Amino acid sequence: MEASDMVALLCAYGAGALPGQSTQGGAGIALNSVDRLMVMGSTGLLKGFQKALKAELQPYFRADLEATATVGSPMQCMLKGVCAQCLQWQIDPETGQRTKAVFSCAQQDQPLAWVDLDNLTARQNQNRLLEYLSSKWLNMVLTDNKRRQ
């Protein structure tokens, strides 16, 4: 599911417009009573929610909503800040300026508004080449191994 699909679904839920949904306050959770939101998914999903919470989702949620993102950044050492492969920038949501770098292996859940998703996308794209080459090498080795048998 794309970010726009998830945002549209939440907008429809907030408006009481889902099929079978009661507009008289039946079963379900009123979005204006939600004070915490956890967003886990692709960088595109995080970016979609980051934008939508300032725009089309804003009327449905409380002003003091704590939106948290699970940052799936490149992590190598898993030793909480030793190798720096997972350094991720945080930004000031008001100015858009970088404020600090954090080790995302030690702080995987971060405030959604603070995550520099453009930087995260760039970091993930850097890893794609290595993943692509590793996949090609593995396919070649396995194909060669089958020929020898």
Side-chain angles (χ1 to χ4, degrees):
M1 221 177 221
E2 290 186 29
S4 58
D5 296 335
M6 294 301 297
V7 169
L9 180 66
L10 266 180
C11 285
Y13 179 85
L18 291 179
Q21 186 179 12
S22 170
T23 56
Q24 279 75 34
I29 300 170
L31 293 183
N32 62 3
S33 70
V34 174
D35 62 350
R36 290 183 186 97
L37 178 69
M38 179 75 142
V39 183
M40 299 170 69
S42 67
T43 307
L45 181 72
L46 298 178
K47 189 175 272 195
F49 268 89
Q50 200 177 56
K51 290 178 181 176
L53 286 170
K54 296 177 186 174
E56 63 263 38
L57 287 176
Q58 189 175 25
Y60 299 109
F61 287 101
R62 299 165 40 151
D64 63 344
L65 176 72
E66 291 181 31
T68 304
T70 296
V71 178
S73 70
M75 293 181 269
Q76 302 296 321
C77 69
M78 301 303 291
L79 296 174
K80 303 205 182 300
V82 173
C83 74
Q85 290 289 314
C86 65
L87 273 179
Q88 174 61 41
W89 281 103
Q90 288 188 340
I91 56 172
D92 180 329
E94 301 299 318
T95 65
Q97 299 298 310
R98 289 180 174 173
T99 57
K100 66 178 179 175
V102 296
F103 292 101
S104 60
C105 65
Q107 189 177 354
Q108 206 169 11
D109 296 334
Q110 302 176 34
L112 177 60
W114 296 6
V115 180
D116 184 346
L117 291 167
D118 292 332
N119 175 252
L120 179 59
T121 300
R123 293 291 304 266
Q124 289 173 336
N125 284 338
Q126 288 174 342
N127 281 2
R128 285 200 178 115
L129 176 60
L130 183 57
E131 291 167 1
Y132 177 79
L133 291 174
S134 296
S135 177
K136 289 289 190 185
W137 175 253
L138 182 60
N139 286 337
M140 186 200 71
V141 168
L142 292 175
T143 302
D144 188 49
N145 190 34
K146 284 181 184 176
R147 276 186 260 163
R148 291 180 184 195
Q149 292 177 351

